Amino acid sequence: MRFFLLLALLAARFTAGACAAVGSPPSTEVVSIAPARSKVTFSYRPERAEAKVFLAGEFNGWNPTRTPMERMGDGFCRATIELADGRYAYKFVVDGTWMADPANDVREPDGHDGFNSVLVIGGAAALEATFDVSAARVGDGKIEIAACKHEPTQTMWMQQEADGAVLVRFRTLAGDVESVALVLDGGQPQTIPQAMAHTARIGSFDWWQIRIPNGHVGKSYGFIAIDGAERWTDVAEFRVPQPQPEPRFRTPDWARDAVWYQIMLDRFANGDTTNDPPNTRPWTSAWRTTSPWETASGQTFWEWSVFNRHYGGDLEGLRARIPYLKSLGVNAIYLNPVFEAPSHHKYDATNYVHIDDNFGSKGDAEMSAANEDLLDPSTWGFNQSDRLFLEVLRELKSAGFRVIVDGVFNHVGETHVAFSDVRGRGATGSESPYADWFEIESFEPFVYRGWAGFGQLPAFRKSDDGLASATLTKHIMDVTRRWMDPNGDGDPSDGVDGWRLDVPNEVPMGFWRAWRDVVKATNPDAYIVGEIWKRADAWLDGETFDAVMNYPFAQAVVAWVSGDLKPSELDARLATLRLSYPEQASAVLQNLLAGHDTDRLVSMIANPGRGYDQANSERPGSRYVGARPSPDAYRRAQLAVLVQMTYVGAPMVWYGDEIGMFGSDDPFCRKPMIWPDLGAFEDPDERIDEAQLAAYRAMIALRSASPALRRGAFRMLVADDARDVWVFERLLGDERVIVALNASGKTQDFALPDAEWQGFDWTVAYETPQVVATATSATSATTATTTAPTSTTGAEAGGALRARASQSAPLPPLGGRVFRGTRK
């Protein structure tokens, strides 16, 4: 039972004065300041003496500028922070470039084709990193007690649900015990142990879970682990916590049913050519060619004409395509920034007060700016572009859509009203009422700090707990209220339904806590989602966001369907997220696969082995293949979408992925949407893939028809690495769904124990379309064509019979089958 190892590691943790964490690298110094708490100093010596170095990691929300490292006389840059005992991933950010600690050999993949450094502090934490699962055997009568754990103060171990019930989890060494039971009421003679369900295997540990219904407040509980003849009882006494009068964390109920569709307006649809920006490109023109004006000033395709294009998409175009969105089956819209800005993407705001006039009525911006005081919201009117936005918003809502917009509150563009005022004053810029809004390093000569080193995106100045400027903070709060309740009557039904927040980890959490209060006071049912690329435990505590864009989900799913990840690894990654986040958040996470900052889904699948959003540019010298992908890549993309539409959380589709649009990273992922009524594109490869569109519609309909897929509990049934098969269950009330997926390139046998099917009437709700090889030339070259997605319902003759036959039928290659059961 290896108690000596535990004692030795714990003893090594505490020494007089400075002490190192067990196995800590020479780049860190750990000093104990209290039980289970230390001061940790990180050190790094940059090659360039003038380099700016920051520390980023799980302990500061991966903020690349929040923790600067101070240069010392010995040439090293250092930062000291306080940390509780535990395991922390981190990196250094050197002149904007992320890098692992070169002096630390303990690393883990970062999901971006690189590595995070890992520091473990504390003897108990270090012990957990040393467990050897190879010695564990189920049924051998031995239990690794040191691995057994329950920590009720942490979300991963205990969660209070909305109805007062409590979700309790217990951990054991992977493959070490046969079962775990919860003993409620302190083990009184009449108490019967309640079996806990095995919910996940993550790394070296198995996780067990049970739900304690409301009505047991204050009762004691403990755990029994059983393996063979061995029976170990946890002697610690835990108590069911008092439920909070109001749940600390409540997310919008509607978001559980959302199927999101992300739109960048300039590239979606042009419904009014009178508001087009100067030098608007023809919508159907060949992407890789340049227009005469793009090279007139000496620019080339890559520097920088392809990045500066406009295609004229606007609000009227969006309004005209509402029927298409309805036919696709999505019910929630995320709009990239819509506020006044010079670029196509609008992340370089000129102001937040008005909608961009190239989306509405040209010339609005100048007229509005001339008559308004940025610091006084009582002077802000609604111009024609603003009113058109509200009209389209009203039509979308009437059609059943929820709508959120992008909030970019970390930085603006150089044309922003406030920044222009500061810079325009020259040496007297400090006298501007907006001088404290920005990171100004010098007024004469004028030098400012831009976001992530970009010279055209002035960053807002930060304090330790928010934005440094009180007037800036008030301005953003006023803007937030303006677009959530435009007429200010207290009824938010005429406003946006929430916000997607750009790079929120760049802004200290104190601001977001205050901002959330404003959002929820304006509309308690509003949805807040943050762009956090890594695990986001710190952001999902009920004080900042409702959800995050679930990039770890995308990374894992794309890697699996691309052949870069085993199903057991996929399952473990996703289980870690489910256990780490509150259920309220997990149910409403934006489960994207691709977006405006990545290559297109089908293209990333066609270029495997790179890591998510890594080495995905087509710049000269790149090996990335940007041509239209093969049928194999499209089929793998369908498999990824099938995971997306059946898994926990809210799926999100990047415009055009559903019709098979392809392309590398920005800007190739932002080509204009293909519409059949515009005629053929000049590039014949830019065309709608009808089979892909049909599959998307069928899979979205599958989710929409199933409460269990939108709201049900999750249980893994099979993770077979040898066959590349993953099977899981979604369960809600009397509905049970079994999702069987095969990521291998060949047919795989599929069978579950009879007990898994008993008690339900089954139908096949979805099956991946069959691929038929068709000869295309005398040389026997073939192309893949697909049949329509197949499904059955209980009303179809023979549906139940077919389902029974399918329960043991092989799974199609790169495909899956979804069974829907109703309790008998």
Side-chain angles (χ1 to χ4, degrees), residues 10 33 200 208 318 518 618 645 690 713 749:
L10 289 173
I33 58 175
W208 309 78
L318 173 58
V518 169
E618 288 186 57
M645 295 298 163
E690 295 291 353
D749 291 337

Side-chain angles (χ1 to χ4, degrees), residues 186-272:
Q188 299 299 319
Q190 72 275 17
T191 300
I192 299 175
Q194 302 174 53
M196 300 182 71
H198 180 266
T199 190
R201 175 167 293 177
I202 304 174
S204 300
F205 303 104
D206 282 334
W207 289 81
W208 309 78
Q209 177 175 292
I210 195 169
R211 186 175 185 270
I212 301 178
N214 194 6
H216 296 278
V217 173
K219 292 183 179 180
S220 62
Y221 67 92
F223 304 93
I224 299 174
I226 302 172
D227 189 65
E230 181 75 3
R231 180 185 177 96
W232 175 77
T233 302
D234 191 343
V235 297
E237 183 177 280
F238 306 100
R239 293 198 174 273
V240 179
Q242 182 76 31
Q244 298 173 351
E246 284 292 327
R248 182 183 177 203
F249 191 16
R250 185 186 296 277
T251 55
D253 187 68
W254 61 264
R256 293 172 177 259
D257 298 324
V259 178
W260 292 96
Y261 191 82
Q262 181 188 353
I263 294 174
M264 182 171 280
L265 272 182
D266 181 71
R267 305 299 168 87
F268 187 61
N270 189 346
D272 179 4

Side-chain angles (χ1 to χ4, degrees), residues 333-354:
I333 306 297
Y334 152 40
L335 295 175
N336 284 105
V338 294
F339 304 124
E340 190 67 44
S343 69
H344 75 273
H345 51 70
K346 309 303 177 189
Y347 284 97
D348 52 345
T350 297
N351 69 57
Y352 303 129
V353 177
H354 297 292

Side-chain angles (χ1 to χ4, degrees), residues 645-649 703 706-715 728-732 735-739:
M645 295 298 163
T646 55
Y647 187 67
V648 180
R703 184 177 185 87
S706 171
L709 289 180
R710 303 192 308 272
R711 295 168 174 261
F714 177 96
R715 181 168 67 102
F728 58 84
E729 166 200 88
R730 303 295 307 278
L731 177 66
L732 181 68
E735 183 192 6
R736 185 165 177 243
V737 177
I738 292 178
V739 182

Side-chain angles (χ1 to χ4, degrees), residues 157-456:
W157 308 82
M158 175 175 283
Q159 295 180 21
Q160 179 180 316
E161 299 184 337
D163 63 357
V166 176
L167 194 65
V168 175
R169 297 190 181 113
F170 189 76
R171 193 199 70 186
T172 63
L173 189 65
D176 191 44
V177 303
E178 292 176 334
S179 63
V180 176
L182 177 99
V183 182
L184 193 61
D185 254 341
Q188 299 299 319
Q190 72 275 17
T191 300
I192 299 175
Q194 302 174 53
M196 300 182 71
H198 180 266
T199 190
R201 175 167 293 177
I202 304 174
S204 300
F205 303 104
D206 282 334
W207 289 81
W208 309 78
Q209 177 175 292
I210 195 169
R211 186 175 185 270
I212 301 178
N214 194 6
H216 296 278
V217 173
K219 292 183 179 180
S220 62
Y221 67 92
F223 304 93
I224 299 174
I226 302 172
D227 189 65
E230 181 75 3
R231 180 185 177 96
W232 175 77
T233 302
D234 191 343
V235 297
E237 183 177 280
F238 306 100
R239 293 198 174 273
V240 179
Q242 182 76 31
Q244 298 173 351
E246 284 292 327
R248 182 183 177 203
F249 191 16
R250 185 186 296 277
T251 55
D253 187 68
W254 61 264
R256 293 172 177 259
D257 298 324
V259 178
W260 292 96
Y261 191 82
Q262 181 188 353
I263 294 174
M264 182 171 280
L265 272 182
D266 181 71
R267 305 299 168 87
F268 187 61
N270 189 346
D272 179 4
T273 58
T274 67
N275 60 20
D276 286 357
N279 296 327
T280 294
R281 288 262 299 179
W283 196 270
T284 60
S285 57
W287 175 262
R288 295 177 185 271
T289 63
T290 55
S291 299
W293 59 82
E294 292 184 307
T295 55
S297 60
Q299 291 192 16
T300 64
F301 180 81
W302 282 107
E303 294 182 353
W304 302 94
S305 66
V306 71
F307 295 96
N308 297 328
R309 290 175 168 175
H310 290 268
Y311 281 86
D314 51 32
L315 289 165
E316 288 292 0
L318 173 58
R319 171 154 47 190
R321 302 301 178 173
I322 291 175
Y324 168 78
L325 297 173
K326 288 291 291 184
S327 73
L328 183 60
V330 298
N331 58 16
I333 306 297
Y334 152 40
L335 295 175
N336 284 105
V338 294
F339 304 124
E340 190 67 44
S343 69
H344 75 273
H345 51 70
K346 309 303 177 189
Y347 284 97
D348 52 345
T350 297
N351 69 57
Y352 303 129
V353 177
H354 297 292
I355 302 301
D356 192 280
D357 62 1
N358 293 129
F359 294 157
S361 180
K362 204 164 187 176
D364 273 353
E366 292 80 2
M367 287 188 294
S368 296
N371 299 299
E372 295 173 344
D373 179 352
L374 200 64
L375 298 177
D376 183 2
S378 68
T379 68
W380 303 347
F382 286 90
N383 60 34
Q384 292 185 57
S385 298
D386 302 333
R387 289 192 290 271
L388 177 60
F389 173 76
L390 296 178
E391 284 180 22
V392 175
L393 179 64
R394 183 167 57 250
E395 290 187 31
L396 283 165
K397 289 190 169 192
S398 296
F401 295 94
R402 298 281 184 162
V403 182
I404 66 171
V405 294
D406 223 316
V408 189
F409 300 140
N410 171 73
H411 57 269
V412 292
E414 287 188 320
T415 60
H416 191 275
V417 177
F419 185 77
S420 296
D421 185 86
V422 175
R423 183 163 60 176
R425 294 175 185 244
T428 63
S430 60
E431 299 175 6
S432 168
Y434 313 111
D436 65 344
W437 284 27
F438 303 100
E439 295 275 4
I440 308 297
E441 297 182 357
S442 168
F443 290 100
E444 187 65 36
F446 190 76
V447 180
Y448 70 92
R449 181 177 295 174
W451 171 68
F454 292 107
Q456 298 176 340

